[in-house]
């Protein structure tokens, strides 16, 4: 199994930047892909970005061009660089991982991102 711990959340002004990090431990070589999701108050959890173990990335339309997901080669750390932040980006951001032979995703505890003046 894998343990995921997010960090880097906080308060930022509109137009500012934040970088979130997700540290993975455990059976990291079993990871197929990882991603970032977010959940705003009163809304469903939504996909932000994903990255596979071959380096392919995918982004939600709402963040494409502003956010960048990346990982090290060992998949021990996944980052989300967030630029040009908007108030609507305010949410709890969760790191997620899918593993080979495991039928459920793993989730981190979440980190709060607040975009406000």
């Amino acid at each position: 199994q894998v343990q995921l711990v997010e960090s880097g959340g906080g308060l930022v002004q509109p137009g500012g930047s934040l970088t979130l990090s997700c540290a993975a431990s455990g059976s990291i070589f079993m990871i197929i892909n990882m991603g970032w999701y977010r959940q705003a108050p009163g809304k469903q959890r939504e996909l932000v970005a994903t990255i596979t173990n071959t380096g392919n990335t995918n982004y939600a339309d709402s963040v494409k061009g502003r956010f960048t997901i990346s990982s090290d080669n060992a998949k021990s750390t996944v980052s989300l660089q967030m630029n040009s932040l908007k108030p609507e980006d305010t949410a709890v951001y969760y790191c997620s991982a899918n593993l080979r032979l495991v039928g459920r995703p793993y989730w981190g505890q979440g980190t709060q991102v607040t975009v406000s003046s």
Side-chain angles (χ1 to χ4, degrees):
Q1 63 177 12
V2 165
Q3 296 79 46
L4 305 171
V5 179
E6 301 99 331
S7 62
L11 175 65
V12 64
Q13 293 184 332
S17 298
L18 275 178
T19 300
L20 306 182
S21 294
C22 175
S25 61
S27 302
I28 60 174
F29 290 105
M30 294 288 289
I31 294 175
I32 299 170
N33 54 53
M34 299 185 70
W36 287 94
Y37 291 72
R38 67 187 182 186
Q39 187 166 23
K43 301 190 69 175
Q44 296 291 315
R45 187 173 298 187
E46 64 177 353
L47 170 72
V48 177
T50 60
I51 185 167
T52 71
N53 57 5
T54 57
N56 292 324
T57 59
N58 188 53
Y59 298 90
D61 289 341
S62 60
V63 307
K64 196 166 188 176
R66 299 189 297 122
F67 292 10
T68 303
I69 188 171
S70 62
S71 66
D72 63 5
N73 290 335
K75 214 67 168 288
S76 61
T77 302
V78 174
S79 298
L80 184 70
Q81 175 66 50
M82 305 185 294
N83 298 321
S84 302
L85 283 161
K86 306 173 181 179
E88 51 263 44
D89 294 319
T90 296
V92 177
Y93 284 71
Y94 297 90
C95 180
S96 180
N98 288 292
L99 275 63
R100 294 181 176 91
L101 306 178
V102 178
R104 71 167 183 88
Y106 288 86
W107 297 93
Q109 83 288 349
T111 184
Q112 177 71 47
V113 172
T114 302
V115 184
S116 176
S117 60

